[in-house]
Every structure is written in C-alpha cells, then in structure tokens.
Amino acid sequence: MMQLPRGTVSAMAFNSESPSQLLVASWDKTVRTFLHVPYERFTCKSTNTNHKGPVLACCWGHCSESFSAGMDKTVRKGILGSQDHIVGTHRDTVTSLGYSFCHNAVVSGSLDKTARFWDSRCAGEQSIKTLRYLSPVDALDISWHQLIITSGNDYFVYDLRKLNSPFAYQSLLQRRMRVVKLMPNEDGCAIGSVEGKVAISHFSPLHGFTFETCVSGNNDPLVSSPVNAIDFHPANGSLVTGLSDGSVTSWDYARGRRLAILQPRDIQKPISALAYSRCGHHLAMAIGDTFDTAPGLAAPTPATKIIMRPDLINFCHVGKNMNNYWWNYVGSSKEEEYTEEEEEEMLDSSTSEWLQDTPEPREITLIRGPPKDTVTALQVDPLYSEFLLATSWDKTLSVYDIVHNCLRTRYEHSSPVLCGTWGSKNTIYTAGIDGSVWSHDWSSGDHRKIYSHEDVVTSAAFHRGKNILVTGSWDKTIRIWDGRTPVSLDTDYSWRIKVPGKVYALDMDHDCLVVATSDDYDPKNFQVNGFSSPGSSDTNKGGYFHTYDLRKLSEATLSLLDGNPGLVLKPTYSAVSAMAYRTRILKCIPPPTPSQYRRVTGGFVYSSVDGSVGLIYHNEPQTTIMATYGLQQNGRFESYPINAIAFNPKIQGFFAVGGSSGHVETWHPSTTKSIQKFPRSDLSVSALTYMPNGKRMVVAYGDTFDNPSPTSAPDRRKVEPRIVIRGADLDSDQLLVQPMDLA
C-alpha cells in the first residue's frame, strides 16, 4: 500500500533541481519524499519521522537537501537517503519556511514574532540574522533576491541584498493572512486570507486590489471558505487557489477573472496544499480535513489524498480518452479512489468553462498586420503566452494578440530594430542600428530610452530571476541594466563591461552568460584560458565564445575603455569557434523538463553565416558540428546562413533552426539527428520561436538578401514578409531517440 501521510498534508514543494521529486509535510509528524514517474503512480523514496510535532512547512535547498519545521519549534535539514539534523530552533511554532539559493540560507517564520536566517551548511543552532515583528509571522515566501513576510495586518518586502531597509505595507484584507506567494517576475505578490479572498499587490508602482475566490460567489464572511494554498504558474503567470470548500481555480490575477475550475466545489473535500512543478507541467493537489469547512457544507473527515494532474491552461482541447492522463493519483490512506463515472464528471466540469470559448487550433495560421520589412526577432511573452513581439527592419516593434490574431500596438523607432526581448510584467526592451536601448510598457503606452551603445546593438537578453537586461554591441561592450532601476534621461545606470571583440550574439541561462565575439582579440587587456592569443598570420575568422558568471560581477575591475571608464570581467572560460565564418546566432540549452531525472549538462548551440550549426557543452568546450545547410545550385552545393535557433520548451534538448535557404528543421543535440523537417519556403526564415506548450511554432519569413529565390525579382523590396503559426508537435516515434548526455 502507498505510504501516504495519515494526517492532513500541510505543505508540498517540487524540487527545482530534480523536478521529479515532491516533498510532502504532514500533521502526522512526518516529511515524505515522493518520486514522480510520468503517467504512473508516485513512489515514496524516504520518510522522516524525527519531528516531535506536526510539520507545518517544508522547502527544498540545493540538490537533494530538504528543510522542514513545525510545532516542535525546530528547523531540520535532511538529505535524501540519510539522517536529518537540526539547523535551528525557535521559541514557538514555526509556521513557514523558504530557501535563499543565492545566500545558502534557510528562512523560517514563527509565532514567536521573529523570522530567522540559518546557515544551511552547518548544524549550529545560532541564527545568522533575526528579524523581529510586533505580531506572529503567519507566512513567508522567497525568490532570488526578494523576501516577503506577513505579520498581523502588515506585510514586509525585503531585498535580500539589503535586509536593513524593508518596505512595510498594510494588508488590503480585513482578516488574517494565511498564505503569501511572490509573482514569478518579483513585481508583486498574492495573499490569501481566512475570509476566502485574495489580495493582489504590485510593488512598483504600489497598487493592488482584492477579489472573492469562492466559486459560489457568496460574499458573506461567515460562510466563506479560507484560502489554504495559492501558487503561480511558472510559465504563463496564472494564479491557482485551493480552498476549504474543495475548489481549485485558476485565475487571471491581473484582472481578477476566473480562467478555469480545475476541481469542482461539489467534491466537498478541503484542499490543504497546492504545488506547481518547476516548468508548470503538473499541479499537485492535497486533499485533507482542515477543520474549517464552511457552515452548510458536509464535512466528513476525508481520506488524505494527493492528486497529480497536468495544468489545463496550457492545453487547447481534451478528449474523453485522456481521463487516465488528467488524473494521476498518488494514492489514498484509506484505499479510497474515485470511480470512473466520478472522474469523468470531474473532468467534464473542470474543462467545460475553459473550452467553451477556445477556438480549435489550425495547422497553419497567418498573423494579420505583419511589419512592412523583414522581421529580425520573435518572442512569445513567457508570462502571458497569448502575446507575441516582433521587431523589424521597418523601424518598428509590433505586439500581437495570438489568440484573437490581431495587432495590439506598434512602436516606431528612428532606425531598424535588430533585437527585442520581454522583460518583467508588460515591459519590452528593444535595440538596433542606432545603438539606443528602449523600454516599452505596452499596457500603459510608456516608451523611454534607458541607455545607449556607441555602435550597433546586435542582441539582447533578459534574466527574469535576476531582473537584469544584457545587451551586446559592435562597440566591444556588453551592458547590464537592473530592471528595477528608475529610468533617467540624464544618468546612465547600466554597467559597461568590455569584451574581447565585437558582440555578434549572446544568451543567458541561470547564472551563465555566453557571448560570441569577433576575432579582434587584444592580449594586452585579456588573458583567456584554453587557447593562445592569435597573431596576424593566425586569425580565427569564426571568432570566440566567452562565458561569464553573473554571480561574480563584483570581481570586475575598472579600466579605461576608449578613453571612457569601463569594467573588465574575466570570463569563466573561453572557446574558439570551429566555424570558418563568423557566428550568426547563439542559444543556450534551457533547463531540463520534469521528465529529466538528473541535471542536463549546460551548453549552447550556435550557427554561422555559412550555414553550419555547432554545439558546445560548458564542461567540454569543444564544438560538435551538426550540419551545414544549403541548396544545390547549378550543379554545386551552396550554403546559406542560419538566422534563427529556438529550443522546444517542453521536450528537453530538441531545437529548431531556420535559415536563408527557407528550411525549418528540428534537431536533437545528443544524437545529432534531424527529427522533423518542414516544407521549404521560397523566402528566407528570418526568425522563429516556440509557443510555451511546445506544440506550435511561430516562424517569420522575409527577404534577407541572401536567399536564392527572389534574385530575379525586379524590386526586392516588394517582397512582403509574413509571420506564420504552424503545428510543430512531435509524435511518439520521433521522440524515441537517444537521450541527452546527462551529468
């Protein structure tokens, strides 16, 4: 029989570094670790029974480290497969936990009116920092550089880099706050209360509102069900709530509008905890008696149960034959399971509201109102996957509504726009030929210049976890700008870091920044590991790749750069491009999906203007040449540049490439095999990106002036670009390939 907790589940958390592991804390004084195998039941890998009281909070640390705390007043650290030990002790019950990955510290909140920081690397019970409040700490949440703590009628927001300067805000809720969660972009938070309401608060600028979460719409606080759990979808940013009346609902928190009822209220079994997997593929729901069922509802003590199901918001249609896929039970402590008719009833009620207005997807959709010239960059909003940005040589930035297939807004620039990326919330950053970097808030219409390079800006990338923008230019610099910095026309707040050559492309993954530069290498200013400095007779036309650790920005040294002060940061390592010609595009391998049980070796894929595609792993900086694209012309093979690379967000390692030859092809880096080919177009592929569900792809076609087809046209500027959304789903046979090299 499944080793489920005998008491109500109080907290759950997925391991961010090993997404198949689920940590479960319970009122039966235990902490259990379950291993999730897709399409199968969970298996319990370990059980910690050392707590002397109910466990109220749990969280993951690095790798397989887990932390738990509860009514025994202790904070314990456990490692999978070994004994746990006490990290710290409070004077009263510990209500909540969080882990700071950048400080290697666990944060605990307690009824003793304190929040304490504990060093996770030692077993001493002496806290390294103590925060004191006038009321008991009810809940807390932590992200990369932000910490939020609720106490009494107030909540406090901290920047972990300067804990002595918190921001204190008064709650919009009338009754006690029960749970709090920071938004994925760190721009605000959601707070749930015992009155059945959720408060949405934005930090910059400060504003917020509340909305009722009870499905019945009853606003009487005497019959409202408490909000026991909330969580944000890590990909599209939607909010999910779990109540004591048994309802699990997904919300568009920006408007307070209900998107879907994931579990109907008719079940009348309280939801005690919720947790999204790291990529948002699955939602874990815990059912158990919370002893606060609203009056008028039947409240028999239900069996403790944990249900695992995919997130409905990322799917467009569901068939009856998918019941076994939607409902994936961990098990029941009383061996109680739903009947087939009950499962079908729950599936119908939970999907009908979402599906009634959802259009059936077509294989190919042409975006209306495309730019007048070739598209240079495409990107789907990672928070709201219904919006698409497109930059173009016609000096415009366009934002499209993919769901309704319409143009939402368009910004004019003074020169062609070469790159664009989504920032936090509704912010978009663009740059181009004139070297200026612009910030656009397309919801409010705000349009500002934040800083300038001295030459063409070729690429831009935004790090959502650190909230920083990185741009690279032909002026041999990269600039790093904190997205929380106020925009000023008089002062340039960006960091100006010198690199060994012109920046052709760059991309980021976690704490790693990869920059592709030209062969303009100056040995006087840079000492690069791994290869000798080239001389005049031994130049590398393909250029170099330099990898920087974003956590070591403080080690940058000040130097004069073309007569202006600039910073020089030593790269973690550098590698020589194996291509004969310069780099055209570069993309880092994204984090692993929940189906990966171990961390995938990091690296990046890049292409050159001669049509070659290469792969480099960080631990083995040697290029693997995968293919060279081109066409047979006049009896000989002619190569053409690869203009775009995009990784599939749902299938680890698979990526698509598109180039001036008109080809779009999907590859697997480990096997270096072509997985899927699309029909060739007469126009060049200038940009492409995947939709967040990985089942559709957005492709931009246009004239890049190196495509063989439009050469006979009398006026090349009459070639109209187009943006197409097409199906890119892979069948099961295409997925049966050798897995990636695992570290």
PDB file of all heavy atoms in Angstrom, residues 317-336:
ATOM      1  N   HIS A 317      -7.485  21.524 -26.148  1.00  0.00           N
ATOM      2  CA  HIS A 317      -8.628  20.641 -26.206  1.00  0.00           C
ATOM      3  C   HIS A 317      -8.281  19.337 -25.505  1.00  0.00           C
ATOM      4  O   HIS A 317      -7.138  18.928 -25.434  1.00  0.00           O
ATOM      5  CB  HIS A 317      -9.056  20.379 -27.651  1.00  0.00           C
ATOM      6  CG  HIS A 317      -7.995  19.747 -28.502  1.00  0.00           C
ATOM      7  ND1 HIS A 317      -6.959  20.484 -29.031  1.00  0.00           N
ATOM      8  CD2 HIS A 317      -7.798  18.475 -28.888  1.00  0.00           C
ATOM      9  CE1 HIS A 317      -6.170  19.682 -29.738  1.00  0.00           C
ATOM     10  NE2 HIS A 317      -6.650  18.469 -29.657  1.00  0.00           N
ATOM     11  N   VAL A 318      -9.304  18.687 -24.968  1.00  0.00           N
ATOM     12  CA  VAL A 318      -9.136  17.457 -24.193  1.00  0.00           C
ATOM     13  C   VAL A 318     -10.140  16.440 -24.695  1.00  0.00           C
ATOM     14  O   VAL A 318     -11.296  16.763 -24.935  1.00  0.00           O
ATOM     15  CB  VAL A 318      -9.368  17.717 -22.679  1.00  0.00           C
ATOM     16  CG1 VAL A 318      -9.179  16.439 -21.893  1.00  0.00           C
ATOM     17  CG2 VAL A 318      -8.425  18.784 -22.179  1.00  0.00           C
ATOM     18  N   GLY A 319      -9.691  15.222 -24.844  1.00  0.00           N
ATOM     19  CA  GLY A 319     -10.571  14.160 -25.289  1.00  0.00           C
ATOM     20  C   GLY A 319     -11.002  13.279 -24.138  1.00  0.00           C
ATOM     21  O   GLY A 319     -10.392  13.248 -23.080  1.00  0.00           O
ATOM     22  N   LYS A 320     -12.079  12.523 -24.327  1.00  0.00           N
ATOM     23  CA  LYS A 320     -12.563  11.623 -23.285  1.00  0.00           C
ATOM     24  C   LYS A 320     -11.546  10.544 -22.961  1.00  0.00           C
ATOM     25  O   LYS A 320     -11.490  10.030 -21.859  1.00  0.00           O
ATOM     26  CB  LYS A 320     -13.873  10.967 -23.744  1.00  0.00           C
ATOM     27  CG  LYS A 320     -15.036  11.945 -23.867  1.00  0.00           C
ATOM     28  CD  LYS A 320     -15.547  12.365 -22.509  1.00  0.00           C
ATOM     29  CE  LYS A 320     -16.791  13.215 -22.631  1.00  0.00           C
ATOM     30  NZ  LYS A 320     -17.315  13.620 -21.336  1.00  0.00           N
ATOM     31  N   ASN A 321     -10.718  10.174 -23.953  1.00  0.00           N
ATOM     32  CA  ASN A 321      -9.771   9.091 -23.742  1.00  0.00           C
ATOM     33  C   ASN A 321      -8.563   9.525 -22.925  1.00  0.00           C
ATOM     34  O   ASN A 321      -7.642   8.747 -22.745  1.00  0.00           O
ATOM     35  CB  ASN A 321      -9.296   8.546 -25.094  1.00  0.00           C
ATOM     36  CG  ASN A 321      -8.655   9.628 -25.950  1.00  0.00           C
ATOM     37  OD1 ASN A 321      -8.732  10.798 -25.617  1.00  0.00           O
ATOM     38  ND2 ASN A 321      -8.051   9.217 -27.053  1.00  0.00           N
ATOM     39  N   MET A 322      -8.542  10.757 -22.426  1.00  0.00           N
ATOM     40  CA  MET A 322      -7.389  11.243 -21.674  1.00  0.00           C
ATOM     41  C   MET A 322      -7.647  11.263 -20.171  1.00  0.00           C
ATOM     42  O   MET A 322      -6.914  11.867 -19.411  1.00  0.00           O
ATOM     43  CB  MET A 322      -6.995  12.643 -22.139  1.00  0.00           C
ATOM     44  CG  MET A 322      -6.554  12.693 -23.589  1.00  0.00           C
ATOM     45  SD  MET A 322      -5.897  14.298 -24.047  1.00  0.00           S
ATOM     46  CE  MET A 322      -4.382  14.335 -23.105  1.00  0.00           C
ATOM     47  N   ASN A 323      -8.713  10.591 -19.698  1.00  0.00           N
ATOM     48  CA  ASN A 323      -9.012  10.596 -18.267  1.00  0.00           C
ATOM     49  C   ASN A 323      -7.854  10.063 -17.444  1.00  0.00           C
ATOM     50  O   ASN A 323      -7.523  10.597 -16.391  1.00  0.00           O
ATOM     51  CB  ASN A 323     -10.245   9.747 -17.992  1.00  0.00           C
ATOM     52  CG  ASN A 323     -11.522  10.537 -18.204  1.00  0.00           C
ATOM     53  OD1 ASN A 323     -11.472  11.742 -18.388  1.00  0.00           O
ATOM     54  ND2 ASN A 323     -12.653   9.864 -18.176  1.00  0.00           N
ATOM     55  N   ASN A 324      -7.216   9.015 -17.920  1.00  0.00           N
ATOM     56  CA  ASN A 324      -6.117   8.425 -17.163  1.00  0.00           C
ATOM     57  C   ASN A 324      -4.915   9.356 -17.117  1.00  0.00           C
ATOM     58  O   ASN A 324      -4.073   9.238 -16.235  1.00  0.00           O
ATOM     59  CB  ASN A 324      -5.704   7.087 -17.783  1.00  0.00           C
ATOM     60  CG  ASN A 324      -6.790   6.046 -17.650  1.00  0.00           C
ATOM     61  OD1 ASN A 324      -7.575   6.104 -16.707  1.00  0.00           O
ATOM     62  ND2 ASN A 324      -6.840   5.112 -18.587  1.00  0.00           N
ATOM     63  N   TYR A 325      -4.834  10.245 -18.093  1.00  0.00           N
ATOM     64  CA  TYR A 325      -3.715  11.184 -18.122  1.00  0.00           C
ATOM     65  C   TYR A 325      -3.959  12.375 -17.212  1.00  0.00           C
ATOM     66  O   TYR A 325      -3.062  12.832 -16.525  1.00  0.00           O
ATOM     67  CB  TYR A 325      -3.495  11.653 -19.554  1.00  0.00           C
ATOM     68  CG  TYR A 325      -2.367  12.623 -19.707  1.00  0.00           C
ATOM     69  CD1 TYR A 325      -1.048  12.211 -19.544  1.00  0.00           C
ATOM     70  CD2 TYR A 325      -2.602  13.953 -20.006  1.00  0.00           C
ATOM     71  CE1 TYR A 325      -0.003  13.101 -19.688  1.00  0.00           C
ATOM     72  CE2 TYR A 325      -1.559  14.851 -20.158  1.00  0.00           C
ATOM     73  CZ  TYR A 325      -0.271  14.409 -20.001  1.00  0.00           C
ATOM     74  OH  TYR A 325       0.762  15.288 -20.145  1.00  0.00           O
ATOM     75  N   TRP A 326      -5.219  12.855 -17.175  1.00  0.00           N
ATOM     76  CA  TRP A 326      -5.503  14.044 -16.365  1.00  0.00           C
ATOM     77  C   TRP A 326      -5.427  13.747 -14.881  1.00  0.00           C
ATOM     78  O   TRP A 326      -4.934  14.551 -14.105  1.00  0.00           O
ATOM     79  CB  TRP A 326      -6.895  14.586 -16.693  1.00  0.00           C
ATOM     80  CG  TRP A 326      -6.990  15.210 -18.031  1.00  0.00           C
ATOM     81  CD1 TRP A 326      -7.732  14.797 -19.084  1.00  0.00           C
ATOM     82  CD2 TRP A 326      -6.284  16.362 -18.479  1.00  0.00           C
ATOM     83  NE1 TRP A 326      -7.550  15.607 -20.154  1.00  0.00           N
ATOM     84  CE2 TRP A 326      -6.673  16.576 -19.816  1.00  0.00           C
ATOM     85  CE3 TRP A 326      -5.370  17.231 -17.901  1.00  0.00           C
ATOM     86  CZ2 TRP A 326      -6.178  17.626 -20.562  1.00  0.00           C
ATOM     87  CZ3 TRP A 326      -4.881  18.272 -18.647  1.00  0.00           C
ATOM     88  CH2 TRP A 326      -5.289  18.458 -19.955  1.00  0.00           C
ATOM     89  N   TRP A 327      -5.913  12.596 -14.468  1.00  0.00           N
ATOM     90  CA  TRP A 327      -5.981  12.310 -13.040  1.00  0.00           C
ATOM     91  C   TRP A 327      -4.956  11.239 -12.691  1.00  0.00           C
ATOM     92  O   TRP A 327      -5.079  10.086 -13.045  1.00  0.00           O
ATOM     93  CB  TRP A 327      -7.387  11.852 -12.648  1.00  0.00           C
ATOM     94  CG  TRP A 327      -8.381  12.921 -12.887  1.00  0.00           C
ATOM     95  CD1 TRP A 327      -9.151  13.106 -14.001  1.00  0.00           C
ATOM     96  CD2 TRP A 327      -8.683  14.013 -12.018  1.00  0.00           C
ATOM     97  NE1 TRP A 327      -9.911  14.232 -13.878  1.00  0.00           N
ATOM     98  CE2 TRP A 327      -9.662  14.807 -12.668  1.00  0.00           C
ATOM     99  CE3 TRP A 327      -8.237  14.404 -10.755  1.00  0.00           C
ATOM    100  CZ2 TRP A 327     -10.181  15.951 -12.097  1.00  0.00           C
ATOM    101  CZ3 TRP A 327      -8.769  15.543 -10.195  1.00  0.00           C
ATOM    102  CH2 TRP A 327      -9.727  16.300 -10.854  1.00  0.00           C
ATOM    103  N   ASN A 328      -3.932  11.640 -11.999  1.00  0.00           N
ATOM    104  CA  ASN A 328      -2.824  10.746 -11.664  1.00  0.00           C
ATOM    105  C   ASN A 328      -2.694  10.728 -10.151  1.00  0.00           C
ATOM    106  O   ASN A 328      -2.183  11.651  -9.541  1.00  0.00           O
ATOM    107  CB  ASN A 328      -1.532  11.268 -12.305  1.00  0.00           C
ATOM    108  CG  ASN A 328      -0.422  10.252 -12.219  1.00  0.00           C
ATOM    109  OD1 ASN A 328      -0.519   9.298 -11.474  1.00  0.00           O
ATOM    110  ND2 ASN A 328       0.638  10.474 -12.980  1.00  0.00           N
ATOM    111  N   TYR A 329      -3.191   9.666  -9.519  1.00  0.00           N
ATOM    112  CA  TYR A 329      -3.279   9.618  -8.069  1.00  0.00           C
ATOM    113  C   TYR A 329      -1.980   9.139  -7.450  1.00  0.00           C
ATOM    114  O   TYR A 329      -1.352   8.204  -7.919  1.00  0.00           O
ATOM    115  CB  TYR A 329      -4.401   8.668  -7.620  1.00  0.00           C
ATOM    116  CG  TYR A 329      -5.766   9.142  -8.011  1.00  0.00           C
ATOM    117  CD1 TYR A 329      -6.407   8.651  -9.136  1.00  0.00           C
ATOM    118  CD2 TYR A 329      -6.412  10.111  -7.258  1.00  0.00           C
ATOM    119  CE1 TYR A 329      -7.653   9.094  -9.496  1.00  0.00           C
ATOM    120  CE2 TYR A 329      -7.664  10.562  -7.619  1.00  0.00           C
ATOM    121  CZ  TYR A 329      -8.281  10.046  -8.729  1.00  0.00           C
ATOM    122  OH  TYR A 329      -9.512  10.494  -9.097  1.00  0.00           O
ATOM    123  N   VAL A 330      -1.616   9.795  -6.365  1.00  0.00           N
ATOM    124  CA  VAL A 330      -0.563   9.250  -5.526  1.00  0.00           C
ATOM    125  C   VAL A 330      -1.102   8.071  -4.748  1.00  0.00           C
ATOM    126  O   VAL A 330      -0.415   7.102  -4.485  1.00  0.00           O
ATOM    127  CB  VAL A 330      -0.030  10.331  -4.565  1.00  0.00           C
ATOM    128  CG1 VAL A 330       0.999   9.760  -3.635  1.00  0.00           C
ATOM    129  CG2 VAL A 330       0.568  11.469  -5.351  1.00  0.00           C
ATOM    130  N   GLY A 331      -2.348   8.144  -4.344  1.00  0.00           N
ATOM    131  CA  GLY A 331      -2.973   7.061  -3.598  1.00  0.00           C
ATOM    132  C   GLY A 331      -3.863   7.618  -2.512  1.00  0.00           C
ATOM    133  O   GLY A 331      -4.070   8.811  -2.402  1.00  0.00           O
ATOM    134  N   SER A 332      -4.380   6.765  -1.654  1.00  0.00           N
ATOM    135  CA  SER A 332      -5.265   7.171  -0.580  1.00  0.00           C
ATOM    136  C   SER A 332      -4.902   6.420   0.679  1.00  0.00           C
ATOM    137  O   SER A 332      -4.610   5.228   0.654  1.00  0.00           O
ATOM    138  CB  SER A 332      -6.723   6.873  -0.960  1.00  0.00           C
ATOM    139  OG  SER A 332      -7.565   7.071   0.150  1.00  0.00           O
ATOM    140  N   SER A 333      -4.910   7.129   1.802  1.00  0.00           N
ATOM    141  CA  SER A 333      -4.566   6.473   3.051  1.00  0.00           C
ATOM    142  C   SER A 333      -5.645   5.511   3.502  1.00  0.00           C
ATOM    143  O   SER A 333      -5.430   4.708   4.399  1.00  0.00           O
ATOM    144  CB  SER A 333      -4.336   7.534   4.135  1.00  0.00           C
ATOM    145  OG  SER A 333      -5.500   8.328   4.300  1.00  0.00           O
ATOM    146  N   LYS A 334      -6.856   5.581   2.896  1.00  0.00           N
ATOM    147  CA  LYS A 334      -7.930   4.656   3.238  1.00  0.00           C
ATOM    148  C   LYS A 334      -8.290   3.775   2.042  1.00  0.00           C
ATOM    149  O   LYS A 334      -9.370   3.205   1.997  1.00  0.00           O
ATOM    150  CB  LYS A 334      -9.164   5.435   3.700  1.00  0.00           C
ATOM    151  CG  LYS A 334      -8.946   6.188   5.012  1.00  0.00           C
ATOM    152  CD  LYS A 334     -10.235   6.837   5.477  1.00  0.00           C
ATOM    153  CE  LYS A 334     -10.031   7.582   6.796  1.00  0.00           C
ATOM    154  NZ  LYS A 334     -11.271   8.221   7.275  1.00  0.00           N
ATOM    155  N   GLU A 335      -7.376   3.711   1.068  1.00  0.00           N
ATOM    156  CA  GLU A 335      -7.578   2.902  -0.137  1.00  0.00           C
ATOM    157  C   GLU A 335      -8.882   3.289  -0.829  1.00  0.00           C
ATOM    158  O   GLU A 335      -9.580   2.466  -1.394  1.00  0.00           O
ATOM    159  CB  GLU A 335      -7.575   1.420   0.199  1.00  0.00           C
ATOM    160  CG  GLU A 335      -6.245   0.954   0.778  1.00  0.00           C
ATOM    161  CD  GLU A 335      -6.216  -0.539   1.006  1.00  0.00           C
ATOM    162  OE1 GLU A 335      -7.273  -1.182   0.869  1.00  0.00           O
ATOM    163  OE2 GLU A 335      -5.142  -1.046   1.305  1.00  0.00           O
ATOM    164  N   GLU A 336      -9.209   4.574  -0.809  1.00  0.00           N
ATOM    165  CA  GLU A 336     -10.404   5.096  -1.450  1.00  0.00           C
ATOM    166  C   GLU A 336     -10.014   5.791  -2.738  1.00  0.00           C
ATOM    167  O   GLU A 336      -9.129   6.631  -2.735  1.00  0.00           O
ATOM    168  CB  GLU A 336     -11.108   6.089  -0.530  1.00  0.00           C
ATOM    169  CG  GLU A 336     -12.294   6.777  -1.195  1.00  0.00           C
ATOM    170  CD  GLU A 336     -12.806   7.915  -0.344  1.00  0.00           C
ATOM    171  OE1 GLU A 336     -12.163   8.226   0.664  1.00  0.00           O
ATOM    172  OE2 GLU A 336     -13.846   8.491  -0.714  1.00  0.00           O
TER     173      GLU A 336
END
